[in-house]
Amino acid sequence: MPLRIDLRDYGTWLDGGDPFDESSPTARPTPKPRKDGPVEKFLGFFLAALTASDSMDASMVDDLLDRFPVLIVFDGLDEVAQRQTRQRVVTEIEKFIGRRRTSALPPKIVVTTRPNVSDLPEPSPQWFETITLMKLDRELRTAYLRKWCAARGIAGRNRRELMRSFDLRTAEPHIAQLAENPMQLTILLYLLHLRGHSVPDKRTPLYDDYMKTFLNREAEKSPSVRDNRDDLEEVTAYLGWYLQGLAERQGSSGRLGTTDLKTEIFRYLSRAQKDTGLVDALFTDVTDRVWALASKTQGTFEFDVQPVREFFAAKYLSRYASADKSDVLKALIRR
């Protein structure tokens, strides 16, 4: 029996909230973190909400786990924003595994997360084998498209037109590069379905639409992205411009280490007269939340796709290096 647990919900519950409460947040009292928050107890809470029942308790969950083979997917560890809450989530999952490993039918456990470059808590290799998703090939992209259409109820002529449009557009290299992992492919399909043939042909407006859609999605999940969105867009554009210049000067891929990347974020915020206290938050958002920067080599960061780096460089020059920031730009160019 498969169960998918949104770890953002589990984190909210551990912090004393009710993730399934549909009332207005302003009408709720300020929650206090739960002292006791084992996975079994949350599963009872989750299943009761799922089945609109008020009679699901921990003993029933234990009975369920003892009688049936269960697959539990703990989804989205990266979306647990607070370090302390994330540590509790990881600890409780590991305790749960320790309690259930001697059962007659120990549950199969999967935890999903984006790559973690900020030294945030993750489950121990003692309990988990790490599996990294590879880029999607053409066959997998097509299979994903069919399932995506089925999940959204897109059928008949609309489905054929979307598949035809997808085949035509992904023949263009700058679009094909946006379809290499499920998250990016989902956003691309959303744009194709929403806008059809009006999806921009040119690379810059396409990436602009793509980034806007992506950040809208992230803002719903991450308070930091939501609160710092303008600064995040500006800093990402600046890093694209800076790393593009670095690549052109050095003939390299344009790569920075962790300390150098934080230094550049700090330097830009300082020269742009912005809050330098945002360095750590923006570093985490840029490296863990924004799809453009990747860590291909341990401890270093670069733009995963060169045209994306060029897009952000152009965006910085055209949008953020305006007259009122000319002194900032000149200082950065001189350096």
Side-chain angles (χ1 to χ4, degrees):
M1 182 176 69
L3 295 173
R4 174 188 170 273
I5 303 300
D6 188 329
L7 286 179
R8 184 171 48 168
D9 290 344
Y10 185 34
T12 298
W13 182 79
L14 285 173
D15 286 340
D18 181 352
F20 310 114
D21 184 357
E22 297 179 356
S23 65
S24 171
T26 57
R28 305 172 197 165
T30 303
K32 294 182 180 180
R34 298 175 190 273
K35 294 181 179 180
D36 184 31
V39 169
E40 292 91 338
K41 193 170 181 178
F42 177 75
L43 285 176
F45 184 81
F46 166 76
L47 291 171
L50 193 67
T51 59
S53 167
D54 57 3
S55 60
M56 184 71 67
D57 57 24
S59 63
M60 295 179 69
V61 172
D62 285 335
D63 185 54
L64 177 73
L65 294 173
D66 287 338
R67 294 175 60 192
F68 298 98
V70 176
L71 167 67
I72 305 178
V73 178
F74 293 104
D75 193 20
L77 179 61
D78 57 287
E79 292 175 14
V80 182
Q82 299 297 323
R83 178 180 288 269
Q84 185 175 357
T85 304
R86 179 164 166 153
Q87 181 62 71
R88 279 198 75 189
V89 167
V90 170
T91 299
E92 291 296 348
I93 289 174
E94 292 183 342
K95 287 180 178 178
F96 173 69
I97 293 171
R99 288 192 295 270
R100 305 304 307 185
R101 63 194 297 246
T102 57
S103 301
L105 294 170
K108 303 295 184 183
I109 307 292
V110 175
V111 178
T112 73
T113 185
R114 295 185 198 180
N116 172 16
V117 296
S118 303
D119 196 31
L120 294 171
E122 288 189 345
S124 168
Q126 175 186 352
W127 301 113
F128 288 90
E129 175 187 1
T130 301
I131 300 173
T132 303
L133 295 181
M134 307 211 30
K135 291 181 178 181
L136 299 174
D137 58 25
R138 182 180 179 83
E139 183 179 349
L140 277 175
R141 289 200 299 264
T142 301
Y144 187 94
L145 171 55
R146 291 196 182 99
K147 292 184 177 183
W148 189 84
C149 287
R152 286 182 165 258
I154 303 171
R157 181 178 177 180
N158 290 336
R159 179 175 178 271
R160 291 192 297 272
E161 287 183 354
L162 179 58
M163 294 190 71
R164 188 180 303 112
S165 175
F166 178 76
D167 286 339
L168 288 172
R169 302 308 299 274
T170 52
E172 304 166 42
H174 65 281
I175 294 183
Q177 290 169 333
L178 299 181
E180 293 182 338
N181 74 51
M183 180 187 68
Q184 294 176 196
L185 178 55
T186 299
I187 297 173
L188 178 61
L189 291 176
Y190 170 80
L191 286 175
L192 288 172
H193 179 53
L194 182 68
R195 300 187 55 175
H197 296 296
S198 67
V199 170
D201 290 316
K202 301 298 183 182
R203 188 171 68 190
T204 296
L206 171 68
Y207 285 171
D208 228 355
D209 276 6
Y210 196 91
M211 191 67 180
K212 185 182 298 182
T213 304
F214 174 81
L215 287 176
N216 287 343
R217 175 182 182 273
E218 289 302 304
E220 294 179 358
K221 299 180 176 182
S222 169
S224 180
V225 171
R226 182 173 61 250
D227 296 341
N228 303 318
R229 178 166 178 166
D230 290 343
D231 290 331
L232 177 60
E233 289 191 63
E234 189 167 335
V235 163
T236 305
Y238 164 68
L239 290 173
W241 174 78
Y242 180 78
L243 290 174
Q244 178 67 18
L246 197 66
E248 291 177 0
R249 288 198 306 272
Q250 298 179 350
S252 66
S253 61
R255 181 182 298 154
L256 282 180
T258 299
T259 301
D260 290 336
L261 188 63
K262 287 186 175 182
T263 299
E264 287 307 318
I265 294 174
F266 176 86
R267 183 175 283 120
Y268 180 76
L269 292 174
S270 178
R271 291 184 181 275
Q273 298 182 345
K274 291 177 174 289
D275 181 6
T276 55
L278 292 173
V279 170
D280 287 337
L282 290 175
F283 171 79
T284 299
D285 289 340
V286 164
T287 55
D288 283 352
R289 307 303 306 180
V290 176
W291 57 274
L293 276 170
S295 179
K296 296 181 179 180
T297 304
Q298 184 70 26
T300 66
F301 301 90
E302 61 192 277
F303 279 81
D304 193 30
V305 180
Q306 180 177 333
V308 173
R309 185 183 68 210
E310 294 168 354
F311 158 73
F312 279 110
K315 183 176 181 180
Y316 175 75
L317 290 173
S318 65
R319 184 174 300 180
Y320 298 117
S322 54
D324 61 329
K325 295 177 183 172
S326 58
D327 291 340
V328 177
L329 179 61
K330 289 174 183 175
L332 291 169
I333 289 176
R334 282 198 303 271
R335 188 174 57 74

